[in-house]
Amino acid sequence: MKSKLALVVIAVMVSLLGFVGGVSAEVTYHPSLAHKDGAMAYEHMKYLAYEIGPRTAGSQNERMAEEYIQGQFERMGLQTEIQEFTYTRRGTTNSSSNVIAYKPGKSKEQIIVGAHYDSVSAGKGVDDNASGVGVMLEVAEVLKKIPTPYSIVFIAFGAEEVGLRGSNYYADNMTDDEVASTVGMINLDSLAVGDKMYVYGSGGADGFIRDQALQIVKKKKLDVHTNPGINPEYPEGTTGDWSDHAPFKAKGIPIGYLEATNWEIGDLDGYTQTEKHGGVWHTPNDTIEFIEKEFPGRIQDHLSTFSTLLTDMLKFMNKTSTSK
């Protein structure tokens, strides 16, 4: 009996290890999902939020999310690597990682597209930020065989919620040549629930990513805006340094930032996402059930719109064009 029990225990352990270590390799999706804007993004978002759940920095769930994202990039045939890092918080050293995938383009100059995959413990982290990762993965799949003006580095950042740890680590370890060859960085954060969809950019001539995005918005009649500049602390078209674009902006790299929120309510600082319920991110309401009940169709509309916009941004980006 003891020997049989031991065999059962071993079998269960092997099964669990296989799940933890191989979760990413087992998840496949029908290719047709990539033909409808937002459909694949929704599936990725749902998997991260519900098959894995809250993905707090340094947790096993965050590691499982890393493995899932790595597996999806590899399934697409993209050159993929894991950038491990550690950070100290409240006297404790923690581990996390960035998942990096590379898509060669017509030029060796590159655009970085990033979205953090960790979350807080409240809710499921649907909006913040499984939505951003979902759109990034969908667009990577759509563009994997399409020639793009620049090479694209897709990065899923770890440990954003505890001080932008992943994006800071990546930016701090860029060589001078990598910085010089980076045309821009586009950040995706909290795309699903805010009342309005926005694209932001750097100030001055470095705002070409935002400006070109707004040209696409006008051409395709997308319901996307930019920060109206009601609050003088955040001039029109810009945003604050509270997400993963900030470390790249600090290195002089032009940034673009896609987000859904509402700059016209609350403290006029973009933190109050909705008129109806205020902020949803970082609350127990950050779930598919709540968002779809209170804002029917909003998730699908936002994911579709942002996917369409980001795809065209990457297909037609031209750093020499700054005209509005």
Side-chain angles (χ1 to χ4, degrees):
M1 290 293 291
K2 288 182 179 179
S3 61
K4 288 183 180 179
L5 179 60
L7 288 173
V8 171
V9 170
I10 291 171
V12 171
M13 290 178 65
V14 169
S15 175
L16 288 173
L17 287 171
F19 173 77
V20 173
V23 57
S24 54
E26 297 171 5
V27 182
T28 59
Y29 297 98
H30 196 281
S32 64
L33 285 171
H35 298 151
K36 181 180 179 183
D37 294 336
M40 183 73 85
Y42 190 97
E43 293 303 314
H44 291 308
M45 179 192 72
K46 185 169 69 173
Y47 190 97
L48 288 165
Y50 284 82
E51 297 300 321
I52 296 175
R55 304 163 303 281
T56 55
S59 69
Q60 182 59 49
N61 277 11
E62 189 195 38
R63 187 65 67 177
M64 289 171 65
E66 169 223 283
E67 293 172 353
Y68 172 78
I69 296 164
Q70 178 187 13
Q72 293 304 304
F73 281 138
E74 290 175 344
R75 179 181 60 77
M76 298 172 202
L78 298 179
Q79 177 185 329
T80 307
E81 66 175 288
I82 302 297
Q83 183 184 49
E84 303 277 355
F85 62 90
T86 60
Y87 62 94
T88 301
R89 185 169 183 257
R90 297 172 181 170
T92 301
T93 299
N94 303 278
S95 298
S96 186
S97 65
N98 296 323
V99 188
I100 305 165
Y102 183 77
K103 179 207 174 296
K106 296 177 183 178
S107 169
K108 290 186 178 179
E109 289 187 295
Q110 65 183 25
I111 293 177
I112 295 171
V113 178
H116 75 88
Y117 65 93
D118 65 313
S119 73
V120 298
S121 58
K124 296 283 189 179
V126 169
D127 179 58
D128 190 10
N129 186 36
S131 63
V133 176
V135 169
M136 179 175 68
L137 289 173
E138 175 172 293
V139 171
E141 182 129 21
V142 170
L143 293 178
K144 64 185 179 183
K145 293 183 180 179
I146 295 177
T148 51
Y150 303 106
S151 298
I152 305 171
V153 184
F154 295 101
I155 311 174
F157 296 114
E160 186 267 358
E161 298 289 5
V162 290
L164 315 182
R165 305 289 183 160
S167 52
N168 270 303
Y169 186 84
Y170 184 91
D172 287 346
N173 283 277
M174 293 177 73
T175 66
D176 291 343
D177 286 344
E178 286 174 329
V179 172
S181 67
T182 300
V183 172
M185 187 276 175
I186 302 172
N187 182 37
L188 316 173
D189 197 354
S190 300
L191 306 182
V193 73
D195 287 336
K196 300 183 180 184
M197 293 177 279
Y198 295 97
V199 57
Y200 319 123
S202 301
D206 282 347
F208 73 92
I209 297 177
R210 173 201 60 241
D211 295 343
Q212 290 179 30
L214 291 174
Q215 291 178 31
I216 295 167
V217 165
K218 184 177 180 180
K219 180 179 180 180
K220 292 209 163 182
K221 296 180 171 58
L222 302 176
D223 188 20
V224 178
H225 313 268
T226 193
N227 170 17
I230 298 171
N231 186 335
E233 293 185 22
Y234 306 101
E236 181 180 357
T238 69
T239 187
D241 293 338
W242 44 64
S243 188
D244 287 313
H245 58 286
F248 300 92
K249 177 184 172 185
K251 286 188 170 291
I253 296 172
I255 64 101
Y257 180 5
L258 305 184
E259 180 187 48
T261 186
N262 193 333
W263 281 85
E264 298 176 29
I265 58 177
D267 293 332
L268 307 178
D269 58 2
Y271 269 94
T272 306
Q273 294 175 288
T274 70
E275 287 191 70
K276 188 174 183 180
H277 289 288
V280 173
W281 48 27
H282 295 190
T283 76
N285 291 334
D286 194 0
T287 66
I288 290 177
E289 293 87 350
F290 178 85
I291 299 169
E292 292 193 337
K293 176 178 177 290
E294 297 300 314
F295 308 100
R298 182 171 289 188
I299 295 178
Q300 292 84 350
D301 178 53
H302 283 200
L303 297 184
S304 173
T305 300
F306 280 125
S307 178
T308 299
L309 177 56
L310 180 61
T311 298
D312 278 15
M313 288 170 69
L314 296 173
K315 283 169 65 177
F316 304 116
M317 185 68 64
N318 179 1
K319 69 177 180 179
T320 63
S321 173
T322 58
S323 60
K324 292 187 179 181

